[in-house]
Structures are given as structure tokens and as C-alpha cells.
Amino acid sequence: MKKVKKMITALATSILVLGCNISAFALGFDINNDGVVNVNDVTFLQNEISNFNDNTDYDLNNDGRVDVNDISTLQIEISKNDIETIEKNTKLSVTTNEYKKNVGDTVTFSITTNNAISDITYSSSDSSVAKIVSTDSNTVKVKVNKVGSATVTAKQCSQSVSVRFSVEKAKCIDLSEWNESIDFNKVKKSGVTCVILRAGYGKDPNQEDNEFQKYYKQAKTAGLNVGAYWYSYATSVDAAKAEVKNCMKTIGGKEFDLPVFLDVEEYRQAVLPKRTLTDIIKTFCNGMRDNGFDSGLYSAKSMLMDSAYPNEISSNYLIWLAAPNESYSKLPNFVDIHQYDWYGRVDGISGNVDMNYVYNLNT
């Protein structure tokens, strides 16, 4: 009977990985007539087989024999019953049913469940607003990428629990070494949630922004969502490729919550053929993507509209537009980030600072 016991153990182990789609429990398996169907029925049948009892009432799998296969059938049915009982009593819960966040924020929350039989699955009602980044056991990480609302639902068997995300535009500032000493904790407390840092400029060596490394570390420590930009002088595709390499020397290995933007605002670029400037922008942005970073373009409204092909660029990359004298509602509908003021004041920064609103981070 050692073989019988080993088979029962193996079956019990395999049953634990069954999902929610199981057959109904057959009540006719109470072979010891004690009013319940459980492991005692397995023991009873095991003894009957050991005593060579070939009563056809014990032929549970209807194969014309009474043997170890009938024990297997009984064990499976008992396990199914246990699973059904657990599933009927499954309860899912979360500590918070609604989050009010700003574009660029990331939320990680856990699901509490009393059921360990099957995995929890997750879905978003609108992944452009609330994107599920990763899941791990009972934990899900969500990135909010656009103004709007969405619901993330966790489901296990027939039970589910939902968390609602209400997402508002993010208050954002962009910084370079010219902003000098900054208290990023005060910046965060002021209501700013995003910062875009100048990483450097051009294609030549030693053109990293002198404050980038320090700003990056301090902004991250303060809990701000961080992006970067690279000021461009490129007038050819080859120069744009060189700027990609130079930028990567500075930002390689870092993690950003916002994209890496190409800053295009030089007059030498404005007078280029539209095709040339558009290809310069695409070359840099594609280079960032090839290195694992989301990418986009920063420029003035007139520069983008008059010196490049805006629809071609906006259909592939994020658009961060400088238009301090216009309301967002009057800008082209492809604008994702609006730089609305060049003379803002923020606690933690001594001088003027560029002010922006982030509306969308989906490319």
C-alpha cells in the first residue's frame, strides 16, 4: 500500500494548483456512510482494497475494477469539494478604494485574500489613464499617465475588488544649473510633483549640466517624478546621433518617471528645411527609445509649427510646448506638456523658474 499512499500524496499536491473552473462535487462518494465526504472515506476505501474487497459499490471510476484508481478518483473529488468550499468563501479587500493622483505618479498597493488556491488577475478599465506596470503575488504597481479616471480591478475566482484612480494634471518645473541651489523637499511640499532636469547640451564632451547629478539625486530623494532634457545644437542627422551618444553618457543607468526630451530652439535649426529638422528630432527620440527611455520634443510653438512637421512628430513622440501667453485649451490637441510661465515662483528656489502642466505621458 506504499504505492497507494504515494499516489494520494501526489494527487493532493497537484490539486492545490487547480484554478477556479472545477466540476461540482459528487455527493455519492460518502462510502463509509458517516454523512460527510472527507479523508476518512479515503482511509476506508484503502482498507477495503487492502482486504481484497471487490464490492462493485467501490468502483468509483466505473472501469469494472476496484483498485488504486478508485482511490485516486475519490481523492480528486474530495479535493474539488475543498476547493469549492474555499472559493465560495473567498474574500478580497484593499486598504484604499480610491486614489487621487497627478500624471506621472506611481502607486503600489496590495490585495488581501483568504484564498491561496489560484492566482489573482488584474485589469484596468483604461490603461492610458492607469497602466498596470507589474504584478507580484498579491501586489500590483500602477502608473498614472493621463488626466482622467480609471478603475483597476483584482479578480480571484468569482470574487473581485476595484480601486478607482482619479488623475489630475501635474504641476511641473524644469531646471538647469542656472537655478543654483534648490531645496527639493520644499519644492515637493509646494505642490510640484514633477521636475524635468537639463542633463546637458550638444555633441561635444564635457557638456553635462553642472548640477544634473546632484539635482537628480535630490529630486528622487524628495519623492518627485523626474524627467530630463538635452539642449540641442544639431543641424544634421549625424549631429543628432552624436548628441544621443553624449546624452547617454550622462543619463545611462538612471531611472526616469518622465521622458527624455530633445530641446530644440536654436535659430540655426529654425532655418533648416522642415524635413531636415524633423529627421533630427526623430533621430534623437528614436535613439533614446533604443536605449530604453521614453522620448519627446521640447520647443516653442512657432518653432514646431513653422520649422518642422508637427503631425509627424506628435504621432510618435510626446510634445512639450512652450506657449506662456496661451491657454492650454487653445493649443494644438497633441500637446502633452504645456510650459505656461517663464517667471514662476516656487518655494525652495530663490529665483524665477519655468512652470509647466503635464497632461499626458502616453506616446
Side-chain angles (χ1 to χ4, degrees):
M1 296 309 296
K2 289 183 179 180
K3 183 177 180 181
V4 173
K5 292 180 180 179
K6 286 182 179 179
M7 180 171 285
I8 292 173
T9 301
L11 285 165
T13 301
S14 64
I15 291 301
L16 292 177
V17 300
L18 287 177
C20 300
N21 298 321
I22 57 177
S23 62
F25 174 62
L27 295 177
F29 287 85
D30 180 19
I31 60 175
N32 66 350
N33 297 312
D34 64 354
V36 294
V37 180
N38 54 26
V39 69
N40 293 328
D41 294 287
V42 175
T43 302
F44 180 87
L45 180 58
Q46 181 178 326
N47 290 334
E48 293 300 312
I49 293 176
S50 298
N51 294 325
F52 302 102
N53 189 335
D54 57 359
N55 185 338
T56 56
D57 290 341
Y58 302 144
D59 181 16
L60 303 183
N61 63 353
N62 297 311
D63 65 351
R65 299 186 304 273
V66 178
D67 56 19
V68 68
N69 293 322
D70 297 294
I71 294 177
S72 301
T73 299
L74 178 58
Q75 181 66 35
I76 289 172
E77 292 300 325
I78 292 172
S79 297
K80 287 180 180 178
N81 180 59
D82 291 341
I83 292 171
E84 288 177 351
T85 300
I86 293 173
E87 288 172 351
K88 288 178 182 177
N89 295 314
T90 293
K91 293 180 180 179
L92 301 177
S93 63
V94 291
T95 56
T96 303
N97 289 104
E98 182 173 8
Y99 289 97
K100 295 182 178 180
K101 292 294 178 178
N102 299 103
V103 175
D105 288 344
T106 300
V107 177
T108 300
F109 62 92
S110 297
I111 308 296
T112 300
T113 176
N114 61 348
N115 178 352
I117 286 180
S118 59
D119 291 335
I120 298 175
T121 58
Y122 301 90
S123 61
S124 174
S125 63
D126 188 343
S127 59
S128 69
V129 174
K131 180 181 179 180
I132 297 173
V133 177
S134 63
T135 60
D136 181 13
S137 185
N138 293 7
T139 302
V140 58
K141 182 178 181 180
V142 178
K143 175 84 177 292
V144 294
N145 285 328
K146 188 176 74 172
V147 172
S149 60
T151 300
V152 173
T153 300
K155 185 175 182 179
Q156 187 179 57
C157 300
S158 60
Q159 303 300 313
S160 64
V161 63
S162 295
V163 176
R164 180 178 174 82
F165 286 84
S166 299
V167 186
E168 298 292 336
K169 63 186 178 183
K171 192 174 182 180
C172 176
I173 59 176
D174 56 274
L175 304 169
S176 71
E177 61 189 56
W178 308 114
N179 295 104
E180 300 180 344
S181 180
I182 297 174
D183 187 329
F184 283 94
N185 290 316
K186 288 184 177 180
V187 170
K188 172 74 171 177
K189 290 179 182 179
S190 75
V192 172
T193 61
C194 298
V195 296
I196 306 177
L197 308 176
R198 187 178 76 159
Y201 53 94
K203 64 182 178 60
D204 298 324
N206 303 318
Q207 291 184 318
E208 178 180 299
D209 187 289
N210 290 326
E211 297 294 328
F212 174 72
Q213 301 294 342
K214 183 175 73 174
Y215 283 175
Y216 174 85
K217 182 177 181 180
Q218 292 178 347
K220 282 285 190 177
T221 300
L224 290 158
N225 297 318
V226 180
Y229 72 92
W230 193 263
Y231 191 95
S232 177
Y233 292 102
T235 56
S236 68
V237 167
D238 285 342
K241 291 178 180 178
E243 289 189 345
V244 169
K245 292 180 180 179
N246 209 20
C247 180
M248 285 306 304
K249 290 178 182 177
T250 296
I251 69 171
K254 289 183 168 53
E255 294 183 3
F256 294 108
D257 311 285
L258 279 67
V260 179
F261 293 90
L262 181 68
D263 182 348
V264 173
E265 52 185 283
E266 287 286 306
Y267 177 75
R268 70 185 78 179
Q269 296 169 317
V271 296
L272 292 171
K274 287 186 176 183
R275 180 74 268 155
T276 300
L277 183 56
T278 300
D279 287 344
I280 287 170
I281 294 165
K282 292 173 66 176
T283 296
F284 183 91
C285 290
N286 288 338
M288 289 299 104
R289 285 183 175 175
D290 290 343
N291 283 282
F293 296 102
D294 290 333
S295 59
L297 169 70
Y298 167 86
S299 193
K301 181 180 179 181
S302 59
M303 184 86 162
L304 174 61
M305 303 302 290
D306 299 337
S307 301
Y309 294 117
N311 291 333
E312 184 175 337
I313 297 170
S314 63
S315 63
N316 291 287
Y317 318 104
L318 289 175
I319 301 297
W320 173 18
L321 202 68
N325 298 317
E326 298 187 50
S327 67
Y328 179 73
S329 61
K330 294 182 179 180
L331 296 179
N333 59 12
F334 55 66
V335 175
D336 303 297
I337 303 175
H338 178 205
Q339 189 178 78
Y340 65 89
D341 191 356
W342 292 332
Y343 304 100
R345 306 290 294 185
V346 172
D347 193 23
I349 302 175
S350 59
N352 295 330
V353 63
D354 296 339
M355 305 297 299
N356 309 269
Y357 282 124
V358 184
Y359 294 87
N360 173 60
L361 294 176
N362 296 294
T363 54

